[in-house]
Amino acid sequence: MSADDDTTQGETTTTSGGDEPVKEEESTATFEPVVKLEEVETQSGEEDEVAVLTMRAKLFIYGETLLDKGSGNKSWRERGVGDMKILQHREHSRLRLLMRQEKTMKVICNHALDPRITLEPNVSSDRSWVWSAFDFAGGELEETTFAIRFVDADTANDFKEKFQGFQKDMEKILEGADKPDTDGGADEAAKAIENVKVEDDDDVDV
């Protein structure tokens, strides 16, 4: 008798002494997990906003690295690639810029769309813009100089045109032309961004 004859498709087995085959029984036991995990809804912080602009780009910031902290040595550092969004709040209509790193979803840009911000051309690229703003991506307001680079010059120019258009909308909102500012939020936002300035660097290579 061959080895293939000793078992029948996993349904029966035979003993070494050649006894009658014994039919195997499938287990019907059920096991409950020791710990039950409840499904938790994840909040992105964008639930009360609508994206009025979404454009893919690469973002850079100008500043000190962790190793150079306090030294005054600044350089351009890549923050990541992802969708740069302009979000508008459904209730008070204010606008902000938000960008997440596409692989980690980490927030790398998060600031109000201040009407005073100026998109400066990058001296080394026709598809990149440079600006400064009080950014909240790190959890605290910090004046940050950004550079954003698009796939081509046409896309970059399209971004600037729409950016400036939404700045005009934001200016009207802050002035109270569209909606009355009953909670003083517009004044607070204006104070937070009044010192925004742009720093130029002739050696920028973005």
Side-chain angles (χ1 to χ4, degrees), residues 104-168:
T104 65
M105 299 307 294
K106 178 182 178 181
V107 176
I108 54 178
C109 178
N110 179 22
H111 65 79
L113 185 59
D114 175 21
R116 302 168 189 172
I117 294 175
T118 301
L119 295 181
E120 299 287 350
N122 189 335
V123 295
S124 63
S125 175
D126 63 353
R127 56 193 178 106
S128 178
W129 303 108
V130 178
W131 77 97
S132 289
F134 280 102
D135 186 67
F136 199 71
E140 296 180 357
L141 275 179
E142 182 178 356
E143 188 175 10
T144 307
T145 301
F146 295 98
I148 191 168
R149 187 171 69 192
F150 296 93
V151 64
D152 53 40
D154 289 340
T155 304
N157 290 330
D158 186 37
F159 173 80
K160 182 177 183 179
E161 181 180 349
K162 293 177 179 177
F163 183 97
Q164 292 175 332
F166 287 121
Q167 278 185 305
K168 293 179 181 178

Side-chain angles (χ1 to χ4, degrees), residues 62 74-76 122-124 130 199-205:
Y62 185 73
K74 297 182 178 181
S75 60
W76 284 106
N122 189 335
V123 295
S124 63
V130 178
E199 299 180 14
D200 294 323
D201 191 325
D202 293 338
D203 297 327
V204 174
D205 184 15

Side-chain angles (χ1 to χ4, degrees), residues 2 39 43 65 70 76 89 96 102 119 142 156 166 173 194:
S2 66
E39 186 175 345
Q43 300 288 327
T65 65
W76 284 106
H89 199 279
R96 65 168 172 147
E102 65 178 1
L119 295 181
E142 182 178 356
F166 287 121
I173 294 168
E194 64 183 356

Side-chain angles (χ1 to χ4, degrees), residues 68 70-71 86 94 111 117 143:
D68 292 331
S71 66
I86 294 181
R94 295 193 185 105
H111 65 79
I117 294 175
E143 188 175 10

Side-chain angles (χ1 to χ4, degrees), residues 165-183:
F166 287 121
Q167 278 185 305
K168 293 179 181 178
D169 295 341
M170 186 65 162
E171 185 174 14
K172 294 178 181 178
I173 294 168
L174 293 177
E175 290 175 350
D178 290 349
K179 291 185 179 181
D181 180 28
T182 57
D183 59 1

